[in-house]
Amino acid sequence: MTRNSPAGTPLGDSFHVYDTTLRDGAQREGISYSVGDKLAVARLLDGLGVGFIEGGWPGALPKDTEFFARAAAGELELRHAVLVAFGATRRAGTKASEDPQVRALLDAQAPVVTLVAKSDRRHIERALRTDVAENCAMVRDTVEFLVGEGRRVFVDAEHFFDGYAYDPDTALRVLQSAVDGGADVVVLCDTNGGQLPLPLAETVAEVIGRTGFRVGIHCQDDTACAVANTIAAVQAGASHAQCTANGYGERTGNADLFAVLGNLVTKLGMPVLPEGGLAELTRVSHALAEIANLAPDTHQAYVGTSAFAHKAGLHASAIKVDPELYNHIDPAAVGNDMRVLVTEMAGRASLELKGREFGLDLAGHPEALGSAVRKVKELEARGWSFESADASLELLLRREMHDGESEVDAPPFVLESYRVVLDHRPDGVVVSEATVKVHVDGERVIATAEGNGPVHALDAALRKALRPHLSWLDSVELADYKVRILTDHPGTDAVTRVLVESTDGEREWTTVGVHGNIVEASWLALCDALAHKAMRLREPASH
Amino acid sequence: MTRNSPAGTPLGDSFHVYDTTLRDGAQREGISYSVGDKLAVARLLDGLGVGFIEGGWPGALPKDTEFFARAAAGELELRHAVLVAFGATRRAGTKASEDPQVRALLDAQAPVVTLVAKSDRRHIERALRTDVAENCAMVRDTVEFLVGEGRRVFVDAEHFFDGYAYDPDTALRVLQSAVDGGADVVVLCDTNGGQLPLPLAETVAEVIGRTGFRVGIHCQDDTACAVANTIAAVQAGASHAQCTANGYGERTGNADLFAVLGNLVTKLGMPVLPEGGLAELTRVSHALAEIANLAPDTHQAYVGTSAFAHKAGLHASAIKVDPELYNHIDPAAVGNDMRVLVTEMAGRASLELKGREFGLDLAGHPEALGSAVRKVKELEARGWSFESADASLELLLRREMHDGESEVDAPPFVLESYRVVLDHRPDGVVVSEATVKVHVDGERVIATAEGNGPVHALDAALRKALRPHLSWLDSVELADYKVRILTDHPGTDAVTRVLVESTDGEREWTTVGVHGNIVEASWLALCDALAHKAMRLREPASH
């Protein structure tokens, strides 16, 4: 059998970072991994340096069976991690060696098996419909059989905290059966997620004190305390932490792997990742969101794009001087960045700081800075908001600095006019059609296209007009589109603010448009999106 | 001065649920409350039963100044909560009574003032550029002055935990100055959000032990532990917890009010809300997300739509028999539902209840109820949401019950077709024009009108067509209009959800429309708005 403990991590086998994104994380509503996805997730997690990767439940889920087969066939080479197969103990009244589910665990050929065992007497009696003695025999027999077959075995004690509170003797008997069978780690699971850190830490310490077993922790987030509970358990003596990427999981999810890693390394000083691993947190988190087809949580601890974003306001100048006074860690340590948001309170200091992010020396151009501050304030008074539209702000600052004279910042085309026609026809079908007249490369181009709605039609017509002239156009896609109606700008009717997020597969950028007419607001944001891409192509080195 | 402690909550003044959504929560990227929004947020929080509502920073932000002025003028009547104005201490080297910022706090007329004070020596010296003695004098003087003017004063000790770790004497001196000045509560703030619950609880207990002061807690979520830290602080003796709705706030956000309330009430058994408050958690959380124009977090603890959703899998039958074995609390306790499992039953029960609100006996019409449940489910799968669109739901239920046969529910007109034309002219002016063809009172009417944008033009044309036939038309006005793009309905392109709030001067009602085309979605919501008014005129006694 191959290696069954982590390789190349400073703490080796003495502390387990155990990832269950591919099994428990996949319980999240909306996640449906293909086998290819699962292999990609495992490679990313291994690259980050986790110790164990639970790949799924072979025998119960066909996709998981296939995943293990392809991994065993050489499609998954792990540098740091060990692959784990998850499964249940033998059924009541059968032999472990003859249980097809247990055999499927062997067939998966993973060096480690994690078995789930019931440790709450109510679940044993009411859900499993057996008694404590038989439940314990099921655990011991199955572990023993798998260990006899050369596997390293961990046991997840399901509903442990509720079970321990209800009937501690039964809960401890189940742990004892696992260890008697040869299990290496017993994992205390807060399956229903109802725990809080202080009492949980007491229970963990008490169980370790009473048994001396090696204990792991597995927390669900139903009290919004999964990360805290995991850390508290480690502080209380647990040396194996089960997490999922971005906290994916059933209901409210599991303990977020990235927050747990950030806390273990930067707060508790535990070197649980290989050299360089911590700086990969942000990248890996976003890549895993991509594979799960879920938008990254912008406010996620350590790795969110807003995790180190400051609405500068009154503190802008202080943040500029002493960023370390305003961040709990250096964002670069986890591969993230500090951002300063430009808001109503924007002043010279925060715009100057922002310019520096874009590689623009506004401090050296005080007049341009003054004029940019006035312009931003005036636009914000009319409902514009640049705090999440960095690309529009960058264009504005560059144009102020270059006074509209630079080729680099010039828009890639000029609009003459557009017309959008929406028809709700008598048969109930709604049709949108747009025509644009633009000037590009010295030519006047007219194009018409249809779309699902007015903005889509306009975007389609513009692309049709520009495609022959801008070779890069089709690499730019709309990633997200947000609309907000602002009703309280006195003196005017409601205005509409549109935020457009674009992507070219490599980077994402956000632009803003504001107008009384939603279609014109969208148009302004779309134009900035293309202008920003054109600018980057002309001056690729600016970042 | 008016009441300065919470009313009608079981724990009275002995425990403070202190909400800072309107001040610290508004620091979240993307949130930009209007004054009307702020009043609506405060009313919802008061209805839930929080003890204190921090309304903003008068004098520093014009919108906040206006909010307090309108609140003082009678636009905000609080049943439970006390309104709080937030601000800074006097500047170094000035008198509190002459500092314009301090005067603005008085002018706000809130019975309670929370002052922010620096308690980390590094911040005092490097950001404030003064010394500890002057900083302490600034705190004491300002508190003393405000207390002398009849205010109750709390002091937020900014960066307390970092400051206490770096130089405990300075941190404690700042607290002492606040109490010397007459402050009622000193709030220990984890401003940079780097704390973990076990050490934080030790610090809180130590500070209380050394000073005997009444201590509050304010946590940011940078370690994903804000809720856990808040609860741990309460367990260590803090009796004042500062939170924000849905955890809104700068960077990763603040401690989520709803998770903290859920934990305090259901886990620690502290009756911090008035009778019935807990069951409002889910509704209020979603309504506040709506006002912030942010999608509710589906996986949020206690209140997320997935918080009690089970991918039933192997446990389906067990969950059905013993749901309490698989949920950490009864979801109904916080106004939430268990999903996936028995949606049909839950759907019937809640729609029946809703029907009763509208004066409809759906229990007596089981077939209509079944068909309504199917229809609502189907619409919700396509992106409709009736949570905040009672008027559209009422129309749907009535039409199901009367099988489309009732005169009362009949729409006041029938659409044949409409056309909207948007022109961005070469001179840069954007013009919107709409033509509608409708049938009303047996007549076919065609009308054309212009507007600021496509929806406005369409509304104007419709009104022009209907005005001669519907005498009440001009009493109905658009009060609010919200748009959300839904990108996560797999298998389709993005759809747009529009919520329209209408008013006739006496009541307000909200309708919803969903379509791939934003103009059609708006049209659907507008039609429901008029249909609902027509229905009420025909059957005024239904409420």
Side-chain angles (χ1 to χ4, degrees), chain B residues 40-106:
Chain B
V41 168
R43 287 185 197 110
L44 281 161
L45 290 167
D46 183 52
L48 181 64
V50 309
F52 295 88
I53 298 172
E54 192 176 271
W57 190 333
L61 299 169
K63 265 195 245 172
D64 290 4
T65 309
E66 188 189 335
F67 166 79
F68 283 101
R70 287 173 60 177
E75 281 196 61
L76 185 64
E77 279 186 31
L78 299 176
R79 281 188 305 143
H80 301 295
V82 179
L83 193 61
V84 182
F86 176 91
T89 58
R90 69 163 173 82
R91 269 164 302 176
T94 65
K95 287 182 90 169
S97 60
E98 288 163 12
D99 189 302
Q101 295 264 27
V102 176
R103 301 245 40 127
L105 288 171
L106 281 185

Side-chain angles (χ1 to χ4, degrees), chain A residues 9-23:
Chain A
T9 61
L11 294 183
D13 202 53
S14 68
F15 189 88
H16 294 173
V17 176
Y18 183 108
D19 181 274
T20 176
T21 305
L22 292 174
R23 203 267 311 166

Side-chain angles (χ1 to χ4, degrees), chain A residues 359-405:
Chain A
L360 297 174
D361 173 28
L362 284 165
H365 298 73
E367 268 181 46
L369 179 55
S371 139
V373 169
R374 275 190 304 280
K375 195 153 194 171
V376 167
K377 274 186 198 301
E378 184 207 310
L379 286 169
E380 290 199 327
R382 282 162 44 201
W384 294 67
S385 165
F386 292 98
E387 65 178 52
S388 26
D390 266 11
S392 286
L393 182 64
E394 183 178 358
L395 286 169
L396 185 153
L397 293 182
R398 296 182 78 91
R399 286 167 185 167
E400 285 302 323
M401 201 161 120
H402 302 139
D403 210 12
E405 303 281 306

Side-chain angles (χ1 to χ4, degrees), chain A residues 10-282:
Chain A
L11 294 183
D13 202 53
S14 68
F15 189 88
H16 294 173
V17 176
Y18 183 108
D19 181 274
T20 176
T21 305
L22 292 174
R23 203 267 311 166
D24 219 19
Q27 299 283 313
R28 175 176 162 127
E29 246 185 308
I31 287 189
S32 169
Y33 290 125
S34 68
V35 177
D37 289 340
K38 296 190 82 144
L39 290 164
V41 168
R43 287 183 197 111
L44 280 162
L45 290 167
D46 183 53
L48 181 65
V50 309
F52 295 88
I53 297 172
E54 192 175 271
W57 191 332
L61 299 168
K63 263 196 249 171
D64 290 5
T65 308
E66 186 189 336
F67 166 78
F68 282 101
R70 287 173 60 178
E75 279 195 63
L76 185 63
E77 279 187 32
L78 299 176
R79 283 188 304 144
H80 301 294
V82 179
L83 193 61
V84 182
F86 176 90
T89 58
R90 68 161 174 83
R91 269 165 301 177
T94 65
K95 286 183 93 169
S97 60
E98 288 163 10
D99 189 302
Q101 294 264 26
V102 176
R103 300 240 48 119
L105 288 172
L106 280 184
D107 294 343
Q109 297 183 54
V112 175
V113 172
T114 293
L115 292 173
V116 60
K118 297 220 176 288
S119 56
D120 180 326
R121 186 150 62 82
R122 291 162 300 187
H123 282 265
I124 294 168
E125 292 169 355
R126 285 151 67 180
L128 212 56
R129 290 160 197 257
T130 186
D131 58 26
V132 174
E134 173 61 6
N135 179 68
C136 287
M138 287 155 62
V139 174
R140 193 184 51 247
D141 289 357
T142 316
V143 175
E144 209 163 55
F145 170 72
L146 291 167
V147 169
E149 296 286 331
R151 298 303 189 276
R152 184 178 187 181
V153 178
F154 305 148
V155 170
D156 278 0
E158 214 187 22
H159 297 285
F160 181 82
F161 293 93
D162 299 329
Y164 187 78
Y166 177 73
D167 176 0
D169 289 342
T170 294
L172 292 179
R173 267 180 75 187
V174 175
L175 301 187
Q176 185 68 55
S177 313
V179 171
D180 288 348
D184 210 10
V185 179
V186 285
V187 183
L188 314 185
C189 299
D190 182 19
T191 309
N192 288 352
Q195 296 297 307
L196 299 173
L198 300 187
L200 176 134
E202 274 176 35
T203 302
V204 170
E206 189 175 296
V207 169
I208 293 174
R210 287 176 71 171
T211 64
F213 297 158
R214 179 166 188 178
V215 157
I217 184 74
H218 175 118
C219 294
Q220 302 290 133
D221 202 30
D222 298 75
T223 59
C225 293
V227 169
N229 285 342
T230 303
I231 298 298
V234 171
Q235 290 176 304
S239 59
H240 168 119
Q242 299 195 349
C243 306
T244 64
N246 304 323
Y248 297 148
E250 197 175 33
R251 307 191 309 278
T252 54
N254 293 43
D256 172 21
L257 174 69
F258 304 108
V260 167
L261 288 173
N263 287 334
L264 290 177
V265 178
T266 72
K267 303 299 172 189
L268 303 190
M270 295 173 63
V272 297
L273 288 176
E275 179 92 25
L278 194 67
E280 293 289 307
L281 277 198
T282 301

Side-chain angles (χ1 to χ4, degrees), chain A residues 26-31 57 60 118 120 122-123 126-127 129 158-159 192-199 201 221-225 227-228 231-232 235-236 249-253 259 263 267-268 298-302 305-312 314-315 318 321-322 324-328 339 341 344-345 387-388 415-428 430-432 452-454 479-485 487-488 493-494 497 515-520 523, chain B residues 26-37 57 60-61 63 118 122-123 126-127 129 158-159 192-194 196-199 201 221-225 227-228 231-232 235-236 249-253 259 263 267-268 291-293 298-302 305-312 314-315 318 321-322 324-328 339 415-426 430-432 452-454 456 479-483 485 487 493 515-520 523:
Chain A
Q27 299 283 313
R28 175 176 162 127
E29 246 185 308
I31 287 189
W57 191 332
K118 297 220 176 288
D120 180 326
R122 291 162 300 187
H123 282 265
R126 285 151 67 180
R129 290 160 197 257
E158 214 187 22
H159 297 285
N192 288 352
Q195 296 297 307
L196 299 173
L198 300 187
D221 202 30
D222 298 75
T223 59
C225 293
V227 169
I231 298 298
Q235 290 176 304
E250 197 175 33
R251 307 191 309 278
T252 54
N263 287 334
K267 303 299 172 189
L268 303 190
T298 50
H299 296 265
Q300 196 173 343
Y302 292 97
T305 52
S306 297
F308 299 93
H310 296 266
K311 268 198 186 174
L314 301 173
H315 293 148
V321 179
D322 281 320
E324 72 279 11
L325 286 186
Y326 295 89
N327 288 319
H328 70 118
R339 284 190 311 137
L341 306 172
E344 288 158 82
M345 294 187 284
E387 65 178 52
S388 26
L415 176 75
E416 180 182 313
S417 66
Y418 67 70
R419 163 171 293 185
V420 181
V421 180
L422 301 170
D423 268 311
H424 180 122
R425 301 188 321 209
D427 63 3
V430 184
V431 182
S432 306
N452 295 330
D480 197 14
Y481 176 79
K482 285 202 171 71
V483 175
R484 169 150 195 160
I485 312 293
T487 45
D488 64 338
D493 285 311
R497 180 165 67 216
H515 198 272
N517 185 318
I518 187 173
V519 175
E520 176 70 9
W523 170 261
Chain B
Q27 299 283 311
R28 174 176 163 129
E29 208 178 343
I31 287 189
S32 168
Y33 290 124
S34 68
V35 177
D37 289 340
W57 190 333
L61 299 169
K63 265 195 245 172
K118 297 218 176 289
R122 292 163 299 186
H123 282 264
R126 285 151 68 182
R129 290 161 197 255
E158 215 187 22
H159 298 286
N192 287 352
L196 300 174
L198 301 188
D221 202 31
D222 298 75
T223 59
C225 292
V227 169
I231 298 298
Q235 290 176 304
E250 197 175 33
R251 306 191 308 278
T252 54
N263 288 333
K267 303 299 173 190
L268 303 190
I291 295 172
N293 202 26
T298 50
H299 296 266
Q300 195 172 344
Y302 292 97
T305 52
S306 298
F308 299 93
H310 296 266
K311 264 196 187 174
L314 301 173
H315 295 148
V321 178
D322 281 321
E324 73 278 11
L325 286 186
Y326 295 88
N327 288 318
H328 71 116
R339 280 175 45 223
L415 176 74
E416 180 182 314
S417 66
Y418 67 70
R419 163 172 293 185
V420 182
V421 181
L422 301 169
D423 269 310
H424 180 122
R425 301 187 322 210
V430 184
V431 182
S432 306
N452 294 330
H456 188 220
D480 197 13
Y481 176 79
K482 284 204 166 70
V483 175
I485 312 293
T487 46
D493 285 312
H515 198 272
N517 185 318
I518 187 173
V519 175
E520 176 70 10
W523 170 261

Side-chain angles (χ1 to χ4, degrees), chain B residues 491-533:
Chain B
T492 59
D493 285 312
V495 297
T496 301
R497 180 164 70 216
V498 168
L499 288 171
V500 163
E501 191 184 314
S502 304
T503 176
D504 56 11
E506 281 174 21
R507 62 181 192 99
E508 286 165 358
W509 64 101
T510 303
T511 52
V512 60
V514 173
H515 198 272
N517 185 318
I518 187 173
V519 175
E520 176 70 10
S522 307
W523 170 261
L524 294 170
L526 283 176
C527 290
D528 263 11
L530 296 182
H532 195 265
K533 171 71 182 177

Side-chain angles (χ1 to χ4, degrees), chain B residues 274-298:
Chain B
E275 179 90 27
L278 194 67
E280 293 289 307
L281 277 197
T282 301
R283 186 185 67 81
V284 172
S285 163
H286 290 228
L288 290 172
E290 197 64 56
I291 295 172
N293 202 26
L294 292 168
D297 175 1
T298 50

